[in-house]
Amino acid sequence: MWIERKALAQEIPAAAGLEIRELCEVLASLGFPVDGVAAREGSEALDVDITANRGDAMSHRGIAREVAARLGQPLTPLPPSAPEGAPLLEVRLEAAACPVYATAVLELGPGETPESAQAFLRALEATPKKLPAVDASNELLHRYGHPTHAFDADAIRGAVSVRWARPGETITTLDGVTRSLATADLVIADEAGPIALAGVMGGDATKVSATTRRVLLESAWFDARTVRATARRHSLHTDASHRFGRGADPAMARIARDLLVLRLQTWCQARLLGAWTAGAEPQRGTAVVLEAGLLTRIAGESLDLPQAAEALQRLGCSVVATAGSLSVLPPTWRHDLNIPEDLAEEVLRLRGYEHIPSALPPLEGPPEHLAPAYLQRQALARRLAHLGFHQTVTYGFISPEADSTFAGPANPPEGRTLANPLGYEYSVLRGSLLPSLVVSAGQNARQGARQIRLFELAPTYLSGPSGPREQATLAVVWGGVLGGEDPFSPARSVQEADLAGLARDLGIQDGPAIHRLAEGLFGFEVSLAALPLPQDRIIPAFRPFSRFPAVERDLSLLVPLGLGHETLRQAMASALPADALQDLRCVDVFRHRSLPEGRQAWLMRLRFQADRTLVGAEVDGWMAAALAAAEALGASLRA
Amino acid sequence: MDQLLPPEIDEAARSFASALAACGDLNALMRLKGAYVGREGSHAARMMDLLKAAPKEHKRELGAQINAYKQQWEEALKGRQTDLESAKKAQDALAAGWDPTLPPPVPAAGALHPLNRLMDRLVDVFRPLGFHVEEGPEVETEAHNFDGLNIPDDHPAKASSDTFYLAAHPELLLRTHTSPVQVRTLLRVAPTLAERGGIRFLAPGRVYRKDEIDPTHSPMFHQVEGMLVGHGIGMQHLKGTLEYALRTLFGPHTEIRLRPSYFPFVEPGCEVDVSCPLCGATGCRVCKGSGWVEILGAGLIHPNVLTYAGIDPTVWSGWAFGMGVERMSMMLSQTPDLRLFFENDQRFLKAMGGLD
């Protein structure tokens, strides 16, 4: 919200002596940080950030009250109330959401909005309408925070009532939009129907124009919740709804009416025909009791209770001190002081948060461990990063098409679709991370990356009867050219087998399906449930190992295509002494049409080691046994 | 003549050239040599046995054929051996007389995502104070995301213009902050809070708000939530903890500043500024000359939040904070565009995320 400096100083003269920087610091320390300062109309306007709970501060007077309380300096007094007279027309308050409605009827004179008021409005980025009744109401809102409205009195038919809208009623608001009203909309109506949306916007039919002769003023108080609901229902967020919606000051109803009358009298020689008020201010809430103990706990040190009382009084509270506590009645403009903690905050705020002491909270129990699932993800991310992979972060929602590529029929997208997505391409909570990684890989490829190594750790979503279930998932994509970037490492393209090896290295049981995602780009995806959890770092039992030399022998076999490596390996291993066989695996594959039909050549490497020196004949015997076991599966020694 | 030798020998002869070409190093070549011309069990040895057993009238012709094969294989093997040896020698020479100005082979290095790395770092910072990590789902209920956090039922954040809802499950939404983890955790530990001696945890994670994608907005971003519940917890404990954490993060001379602010789930509430880590609070572009940068929002847990979870606010009290990970990362790194964090260019990830 814009606060014009000269206007602020009119409300709190002591602020005039502050440097702009000092003023900004005072405001920030009170909870109103200044986002920027702009030179406007020969003065400065401060862009003040006001939190939603402080409707009372959304005006120059409101900010001035805060500065005055901090500086301990007086506010400029408001002009005394003018006497009221008998109602000139009937105003009926038919809903509890509007307990008080101050009004007046004036006959407008020839004068215009003074330049000073126009400059004030322009400094706040508001546009003067050069209609005194409209500009004065607007100027009042920014200066005192109380929204008012002026109707063309001659356009009003019969009595005025404040009531709930009736089914089927409509209103054309000042912005020219005709709106169908809900019965929860509070309206100002004359005998022909609604003439304003209470606290939100006036009606077009009764608006003040250049030809208006007589005006009916409205300075009321409307229930915040009702105004918020109507503003939201009609997507109509106005300066008035903003303030009423955050809680206006009911005591300002009469005062703002008087101020408005005064302005019209001065600006355009308006003649007051009558001023009166329907209803009365709502009862003030009950007092809140602040115990010294609570204040001490929150403040972190024992604070002097009379000083706390004095601080609250400076903010407009009525305070009754008793032994060890304060009974506090907040001022009419504060709707946010409802519990003792709220009052403690006010005491600290006025004193300055910089005075809060600093201490580490004592440990009251043993610290908890990090969860295994969390540690698993940390360890995986680090392992993959050290292996050369880059961790990605992509959006959790993707397009239905992209999702359908990997999600599978058991995971229908309907249960994972957003009701209000940003767009079609972001509408489904993804069943797979791979589509997003393919996009990131493509982007890297277009940027000329020689090798693409990406992984993501994120939830995927599984449709279920009670909503999408989240599954912590790892996906990896790998493509491009390996090596060839130094004199020792030959270049070759990334293969499907590289991903299988990576999956095995990560401890994934039952090698996951390796997808060919694009030309030379492969990937896999696994639920983290399929990965081993990190073991507790207890010290494992010592397992002795041989210190005698190992013997390595190769066996070149012709094996039938279709015979699995694991089958062959197990068959061969079962024919060998388990305590001597250290390793057995295929280390080379040769496929060529020169080989017998339906065969490939595997070079099997066997490694033996035992707690004694192995002799050649012994190993020869094992090799023969291994060969026999292989032959039983249809393999033969390659000649 | 072909009928003199068995077909497997002819096959072996035919496949010799490609097998030779496939030998990438001397070991492989030695294996191939053994298979073709070795003393025992090789193709050559087998042929010699055949020659011995052959009828006299074929011996001459067969001998010539065998010699031709053996000679061809031996020459080719020798040639390949020379090539491989000289290649090895060249490489050994390169290795022995390594010119350190040449680019050496380097192990592959990837990177953690900068956002994850920052979140991990925050966990590391809080671990010595006894904080652990709590996590919660991204798909949440209104109750956990709003009601349990003292957020009024007509709060604008609940509108479908601000929050993503599930089409088939209107009561479910994508969490708009990590604060529902507070609610879940407090509900879970409430019955055993006394035995535990309170609780203190961080909740890092992804959150969603319905913002269009632009240089400063993203519909998905990350937060780190911190919470502590104990006896007699006040603002001084919030300040002390954050002072410790932010000094660990930014250096021992870091100062922090609390300013009053408002969040429905805390009372009192505050914004926390840190003395600008980039310029040492002398004034720069990042702190806009003020020497301070806003780093997180915090406060003492609102009694309604404790009550909702079944914790007596007259016995227990605590503090909570919430921090925007992207915001902090962008500010400290001066990354100009939020979208870079989700594009996942490997160059960006390597430079910004890196490794521990």
Side-chain angles (χ1 to χ4, degrees):
Chain A
M1 197 195 121
W2 289 107
I3 293 292
E4 198 268 325
R5 221 183 139 196
K6 280 192 301 202
L8 181 68
Q10 282 163 10
E11 302 300 321
I12 163 82
L18 294 177
E19 294 282 323
I20 192 93
R21 185 163 188 123
E22 289 173 311
L23 180 59
C24 289
E25 272 169 21
V26 166
L27 290 175
S29 73
L30 286 163
F32 304 98
V34 179
D35 290 341
V37 179
R40 297 261 172 83
E41 303 289 327
S43 175
E44 289 120 345
L46 279 60
D47 185 6
V48 182
D49 198 0
I50 300 169
T51 51
N53 61 327
R54 294 303 303 273
D56 66 289
M58 290 171 184
S59 67
H60 288 71
R61 183 80 182 181
I63 291 292
R65 270 197 298 254
E66 291 288 315
V67 175
R70 164 56 66 82
L71 300 181
Q73 295 290 327
L75 288 166
T76 305
L78 293 172
S81 278
E84 295 193 318
L88 296 187
L89 72 133
E90 193 187 352
V91 175
R92 292 194 293 263
L93 304 185
E94 296 172 6
C98 176
V100 59
Y101 196 101
T103 183
V105 177
L106 294 97
E107 197 172 274
L108 298 179
E112 288 182 351
T113 308
E115 174 49 31
S116 61
Q118 291 192 37
F120 172 70
L121 288 172
R122 284 194 301 266
L124 309 178
E125 295 184 329
T127 312
K129 299 286 187 297
K130 311 215 172 144
L131 297 168
V134 177
D135 291 338
S137 168
N138 204 8
E139 188 250 1
L140 264 180
L141 176 140
H142 289 290
R143 200 179 283 270
Y144 296 103
H146 197 81
T148 55
H149 185 66
F151 296 98
D152 184 334
D154 296 316
I156 293 174
R157 291 141 297 181
V160 168
S161 56
V162 186
R163 60 166 171 83
W164 300 110
R166 292 172 187 144
E169 276 188 331
T170 62
I171 186 174
T172 303
T173 38
L174 279 173
D175 55 1
V177 178
T178 301
R179 299 166 191 278
S180 302
L181 299 177
T183 53
D185 285 329
L186 188 68
V187 296
I188 320 300
D190 65 9
E191 282 167 14
I195 55 171
L197 268 179
V200 180
M201 189 178 268
D204 194 59
T206 52
K207 75 174 174 195
V208 170
S209 69
T211 57
T212 299
R213 287 175 37 250
R214 291 191 320 139
V215 288
L216 173 78
L217 303 184
E218 165 191 301
S219 179
W221 186 86
F222 302 110
D223 170 59
R225 215 180 156 80
T226 304
V227 172
R228 284 201 299 268
T230 293
R232 191 158 59 245
R233 194 173 301 122
H234 297 284
S235 295
L236 195 55
H237 298 279
T238 61
D239 283 337
S241 74
H242 195 68
R243 284 163 180 80
F244 277 126
R246 282 160 178 75
D249 179 3
M252 275 301 284
R254 273 168 222 260
I255 299 167
R257 189 267 325 269
D258 291 344
L259 290 165
L260 189 50
V261 167
L262 207 62
R263 273 163 173 69
L264 293 182
Q265 286 169 330
T266 335
W267 292 6
C268 63
Q269 301 81 49
R271 198 162 64 83
L272 178 65
L273 302 180
W276 71 102
T277 298
E281 286 173 34
Q283 283 286 311
R284 288 172 76 174
T286 48
V288 182
V289 175
L290 175 61
E291 305 278 353
L294 183 89
L295 181 60
T296 301
R297 193 259 293 167
I298 290 176
E301 61 185 325
S302 174
L303 293 186
D304 180 45
L305 218 49
Q307 269 181 24
E310 194 265 339
L312 291 167
Q313 280 161 344
R314 270 190 281 150
L315 288 166
C317 297
S318 313
V319 183
V320 179
T322 54
S325 71
L326 302 175
S327 175
V328 181
L329 191 63
T332 52
W333 56 85
R334 292 296 296 267
H335 303 285
D336 61 324
L337 304 180
N338 305 307
I339 58 171
E341 285 80 356
D342 293 330
L343 300 175
E345 177 181 58
E346 291 305 288
V347 173
L348 295 193
R349 196 170 67 88
L350 221 54
R351 178 167 167 260
Y353 275 18
E354 66 273 20
H355 298 297
I356 295 170
S358 170
L360 283 174
L363 208 56
E364 298 180 40
E368 287 186 40
H369 298 292
L370 294 172
Y374 175 80
L375 291 173
Q376 179 193 39
R377 270 182 288 127
Q378 302 306 99
L380 257 182
R382 269 164 189 72
R383 174 99 186 103
L384 282 161
H386 282 284
L387 286 171
F389 289 81
H390 304 82
Q391 185 175 27
T392 65
V393 171
T394 53
Y395 291 156
F397 28 56
I398 57 179
S399 77
E401 281 77 26
D403 181 69
S404 65
T405 324
F406 298 101
N411 189 10
E414 289 74 27
R416 300 179 276 125
T417 301
L418 295 179
N420 55 335
L422 264 195
Y424 182 72
E425 69 270 40
Y426 304 115
S427 58
V428 175
L429 292 176
R430 57 190 175 181
S432 163
L433 306 179
L434 286 171
S436 313
L437 282 181
V438 170
V439 172
S440 291
Q443 218 137 18
N444 277 289
R446 277 192 298 284
Q447 292 292 316
R450 190 179 151 86
Q451 200 184 147
I452 290 154
R453 283 190 287 202
L454 302 173
F455 73 99
E456 181 148 344
L457 283 160
T460 52
Y461 305 87
L462 195 62
S463 294
S466 55
R469 214 177 67 230
E470 287 170 45
Q471 244 175 344
T473 303
L474 165 72
V476 177
V477 300
W478 194 359
V481 179
L482 270 176
E485 293 191 277
D486 64 74
F488 300 101
S489 328
R492 68 169 177 86
S493 49
V494 172
Q495 307 294 335
E496 189 180 327
D498 292 317
L499 283 106
L502 177 68
R504 178 171 299 191
D505 179 70
L506 297 176
I508 303 170
Q509 309 297 325
D510 319 318
I514 312 287
H515 301 278
R516 191 170 175 280
L517 300 167
E519 183 61 37
L521 183 73
F522 304 92
F524 66 79
E525 178 169 47
V526 284
S527 161
L528 291 193
L531 283 160
L533 282 176
Q535 299 300 308
D536 284 339
R537 297 293 298 162
I538 54 164
I539 299 166
F542 173 70
R543 288 172 62 188
F545 49 89
S546 165
R547 293 186 183 277
F548 291 88
V551 174
E552 206 171 271
R553 291 279 184 91
D554 288 355
L555 200 56
S556 184
L557 295 177
L558 282 172
V559 299
L561 289 171
L563 174 63
H565 176 260
E566 192 51 28
T567 312
L568 178 66
R569 201 190 63 78
Q570 277 179 14
M572 291 170 75
S574 64
L576 298 167
D579 58 336
L581 182 69
Q582 294 289 317
D583 194 25
L584 163 57
R585 67 170 81 188
C586 170
V587 294
D588 202 7
V589 176
F590 182 66
R591 288 180 191 150
H592 198 262
R593 55 189 152 74
S594 69
L595 296 179
E597 183 85 12
R599 300 274 165 148
Q600 58 181 328
W602 282 358
L603 184 64
M604 302 302 290
R605 180 162 300 161
L606 297 87
R607 189 180 162 84
F608 301 100
Q609 198 172 19
D611 281 332
R612 58 200 155 78
T613 304
L614 299 174
V615 293
E618 187 178 27
V619 177
D620 289 346
W622 292 341
M623 293 301 286
L627 177 60
E631 282 170 344
L633 290 173
S636 57
L637 191 66
R638 189 179 167 202
Chain B
M1 191 163 71
D2 276 354
Q3 71 275 18
L4 294 177
L5 286 168
E8 59 266 29
I9 298 285
D10 291 323
E11 285 292 344
R14 270 197 290 276
S15 66
F16 177 74
S18 54
L20 186 70
C23 291
D25 58 40
L26 283 166
N27 285 338
L29 187 75
M30 287 305 121
R31 285 200 294 274
L32 189 73
K33 191 174 177 180
Y36 276 83
V37 297
R39 204 176 284 264
E40 275 173 41
S42 69
H43 298 310
R46 176 105 192 280
M47 288 191 297
M48 291 315 286
D49 292 344
L50 287 169
L51 183 61
K52 266 182 218 157
K56 222 173 196 142
E57 66 271 24
H58 288 149
K59 276 201 178 176
R60 190 185 152 84
E61 198 184 343
L62 188 58
Q65 175 60 40
I66 289 171
N67 274 336
Y69 271 147
K70 276 180 70 177
Q71 199 179 341
Q72 182 196 340
W73 294 342
E74 274 167 354
E75 271 172 24
L77 283 163
K78 201 170 172 196
R80 181 81 179 141
Q81 190 172 347
T82 315
D83 289 350
L84 285 172
E85 274 168 357
S86 65
K88 184 176 183 306
K89 209 176 275 175
Q91 211 162 63
D92 287 348
L94 186 64
W98 177 246
D99 173 356
T101 63
L102 278 171
V106 280
L112 298 174
H113 194 279
L115 299 175
N116 288 89
R117 200 167 180 220
L118 182 52
M119 289 191 288
D120 292 353
R121 179 83 183 105
L122 285 164
V123 172
D124 290 346
V125 164
F126 278 89
R127 276 300 279 162
L129 297 183
F131 285 72
H132 67 280
V133 173
E134 292 284 348
E135 296 183 290
E138 293 175 10
V139 176
E140 264 295 3
T141 61
E142 279 203 30
H144 286 140
N145 197 74
F146 296 120
D147 306 344
L149 292 162
N150 195 39
I151 296 172
D153 59 8
D154 72 337
H155 195 276
K158 282 191 162 187
S160 62
S161 56
D162 287 31
T163 299
F164 293 111
Y165 287 86
L166 273 291
H169 306 276
E171 73 288 2
L172 295 179
L173 49 80
L174 294 184
R175 66 178 179 187
T176 59
H177 43 186
T178 42
S179 308
V181 182
Q182 288 184 10
V183 182
R184 283 176 174 274
T185 306
L186 292 183
L187 281 166
R188 195 190 72 230
V189 302
T192 56
L193 203 55
E195 294 98 278
R196 285 167 181 272
I199 188 164
R200 43 181 80 188
F201 63 89
L202 295 190
R206 311 199 301 178
V207 302
Y208 296 82
R209 285 183 201 171
K210 203 175 166 191
D211 285 323
E212 294 289 338
I213 301 166
D214 70 24
T216 54
H217 293 90
S218 167
M220 185 188 91
F221 57 101
H222 296 73
Q223 284 187 337
V224 173
E225 190 92 0
M227 182 175 249
L228 180 144
V229 178
H231 289 99
I233 300 301
M235 292 295 279
Q236 78 279 19
H237 296 126
L238 174 65
K239 195 173 189 175
T241 311
L242 292 177
E243 216 160 56
Y244 168 83
L246 294 169
R247 280 180 183 160
T248 310
L249 207 54
F250 298 125
H253 302 298
T254 304
E255 292 298 326
I256 73 165
R257 179 172 83 171
L258 272 52
R259 285 185 288 105
S261 191
Y262 168 72
F263 307 97
F265 30 92
V266 289
E267 190 66 46
C270 61
E271 297 275 1
V272 177
D273 296 338
V274 62
S275 55
C276 182
L278 287 163
C279 63
T282 54
C284 68
R285 226 161 42 103
V286 169
C287 59
K288 296 185 192 123
S290 73
W292 295 98
V293 287
E294 191 182 309
I295 205 107
L296 55 88
L300 298 188
I301 304 169
H302 196 286
N304 290 354
V305 173
L306 293 172
T307 305
Y308 182 92
I311 296 170
D312 183 352
T314 62
V315 176
W316 296 96
S317 48
W319 55 247
F321 73 80
M323 171 189 284
V325 182
E326 278 82 353
R327 223 183 80 84
M328 183 161 163
S329 187
M330 277 180 86
M331 180 193 70
L332 296 177
S333 63
Q334 301 185 65
T335 301
D337 194 325
L338 179 55
R339 291 171 294 194
L340 287 164
F341 287 97
F342 307 108
E343 262 171 28
N344 300 301
D345 189 301
Q346 292 182 156
R347 294 166 297 182
F348 174 81
L349 297 175
K350 199 162 281 179
M352 301 286 298
L355 277 163
D356 293 329

